[in-house]
Amino acid sequence: MANLSLNIPEGYAYVPTQVASDRNLYSPEAGLMRGTIFPTLDLPLGVYGNQDLTREAEE
């Protein structure tokens, strides 16, 4: 059984600050459809990390 009294963090996340200005944001309607209001975060599926859902289902 693991010792739960240790305060060791599991990991750290790096999240860059997004600067919101009118010229680099999607409109509210477009942001709702795209899932983000920041065009720099609007990545196609599979670009960021392993997102092969079919392979995970087979394992």
Side-chain angles (χ1 to χ4, degrees):
M1 177 177 237
N3 185 354
L4 300 178
S5 64
L6 297 176
N7 289 328
I8 301 173
E10 293 180 13
Y12 293 96
Y14 171 73
V15 181
T17 303
Q18 295 292 317
V19 179
S21 68
D22 292 336
R23 64 176 176 247
N24 70 343
L25 297 178
Y26 286 140
S27 68
E29 296 82 12
L32 186 61
M33 294 297 294
R34 305 296 299 193
T36 181
I37 60 169
F38 300 104
T40 56
L41 296 178
D42 190 9
L43 301 172
L45 185 64
V47 169
Y48 189 75
N50 183 7
Q51 298 178 358
D52 186 3
L53 300 176
T54 58
R55 195 172 88 198
E56 289 178 7
E58 293 172 357
E59 293 177 356

